[in-house]
Amino acid sequence: MDFWKIVLGLLRRRYIGPPVIAGSVLIGVLTFIVLPTHYQSTAFMVLTTPSAGGTKEPDRPLGQSNPLLLFNDGLRTTASILIQSQNTREALEQLGQQKDGPTTVIINDGSTNPDVLGTNGPFIYVEGDSTSFEDARGIVVRAQQRIRDELVARQKALGAPESTFISVVDVTSASEPEALLAAKVKAAAVGFVLSFLFGLAGAYWFQRRPRKWPTEDEDHGQAAAGPAPPVDPPTVKMAPVVRNNGNGSLKKAEPQL
């Protein structure tokens, strides 16, 4: 309770409370303005099998099949392969993500997206983040195209018939980038709180110095009493001056002011 009484007492003083609050608000606003705004774009894709199935001429005993579809849960396995191949450092750098750079990309099965969390399927989720409006969407579009190219290249390398190729379909295309303001608001709030606490701590320390600031009652008392009356200058008394009157006798002169 004593602590809060001290804080409230400091805030009531017009030369402490208003300046500290105004300075804290200013720091919070400047923090919000200075921090760059991040933009986010997302895309959601799913792998599908061809309409004719994963085997070319299935009626023939030696019909050719797509090796990627021979796994149990072949589509999900293929999706995992594509996700892992796109999360290497070289692949991310080719997409435009640099170490400690302003643009980043996330490629996974949707585990970071609460909207699709728990969904069981061969999904690929792409999320781009950047301080640039254009780069946020651009890196998502590049990632989608690279995933498609990687899927085709792997199937060709495995000798899969083209009629059995797995394809990637957009569930949602690259979205219009949205501004992420939550981080800026949080940083501005932290700046406001810290500056407010440091301001009160500095005022409390300065008040505890031997020189005591006037209290509010003293300020009001001095204002009500008005200016102090002028003080007359002190009268200076001079010692008497002794003069020679010319005939050898001394004459005592009157004291001069």
Side-chain angles (χ1 to χ4, degrees), residues 135-153:
D135 290 345
R137 187 175 186 276
I139 197 170
V140 173
V141 173
R142 290 194 298 272
Q144 288 184 283
Q145 186 58 48
R146 184 180 176 87
I147 289 171
R148 291 189 173 92
D149 294 342
E150 180 72 16
L151 178 59
V152 172

Side-chain angles (χ1 to χ4, degrees), residues 171-185:
V171 179
T172 58
S173 301
S175 63
E176 191 75 8
E178 296 181 359
L180 303 178
L181 301 179
K184 295 183 66 173
V185 172

Side-chain angles (χ1 to χ4, degrees), residues 9-246:
L10 291 173
L11 291 177
R12 287 194 185 102
R13 299 190 176 185
R14 63 177 180 272
Y15 48 83
I16 296 179
V20 168
I21 295 175
S24 301
V25 171
L26 179 61
I27 291 176
V29 172
L30 290 177
T31 302
F32 184 86
I33 295 174
V34 170
L35 288 179
T37 301
H38 279 254
Y39 298 92
Q40 185 182 88
S41 176
T42 60
F44 200 51
M45 302 182 293
V46 63
L47 272 62
T48 62
T49 57
S51 59
T55 303
K56 182 180 180 181
E57 298 179 356
D59 296 334
R60 297 181 60 182
L62 299 178
Q64 291 180 303
S65 299
N66 188 333
L68 292 177
L69 293 174
L70 298 180
F71 298 103
N72 292 330
D73 296 327
L75 291 181
R76 280 189 292 179
T77 302
T78 304
S80 298
I81 293 173
L82 294 175
I83 290 170
Q84 294 301 321
S85 67
Q86 300 309 307
N87 276 289
T88 62
R89 184 179 65 181
E90 294 79 7
L92 294 176
E93 288 179 352
Q94 291 175 6
L95 289 175
Q97 174 176 306
Q98 301 296 328
K99 185 178 180 180
D100 299 327
T103 303
T104 59
V105 63
I106 296 174
I107 303 174
N108 57 33
D109 60 353
S111 57
T112 59
N113 186 350
D115 295 335
V116 296
L117 190 62
T119 303
N120 189 14
F123 297 115
I124 299 178
Y125 174 73
V126 183
E127 177 182 295
D129 185 290
S130 178
T131 55
S132 169
F133 183 89
E134 293 79 10
D135 290 345
R137 187 175 186 276
I139 197 170
V140 173
V141 173
R142 290 194 298 272
Q144 288 184 283
Q145 186 58 48
R146 184 180 176 87
I147 289 171
R148 291 189 173 92
D149 294 342
E150 180 72 16
L151 178 59
V152 172
R154 286 183 177 272
Q155 293 180 103
K156 286 183 178 180
L158 292 172
E162 188 172 349
S163 62
T164 66
F165 274 14
I166 301 169
S167 58
V168 183
V169 178
D170 286 347
V171 179
T172 58
S173 301
S175 63
E176 191 75 8
E178 296 181 359
L180 303 178
L181 301 179
K184 295 183 66 173
V185 172
K186 183 178 180 180
V190 171
F192 170 83
V193 172
L194 290 179
S195 59
F196 180 77
L197 294 178
F198 279 115
L200 286 181
Y204 177 76
W205 173 83
F206 193 80
Q207 188 186 28
R208 299 292 293 179
R209 297 176 62 191
R211 181 182 177 181
K212 187 179 179 182
W213 294 359
T215 62
E216 294 289 340
D217 294 337
E218 293 173 348
D219 292 341
H220 291 306
Q222 292 177 3
V231 180
D232 294 334
T235 303
V236 179
K237 295 183 179 181
M238 305 296 295
V241 180
V242 179
R243 297 178 179 177
N244 192 339
N245 57 9

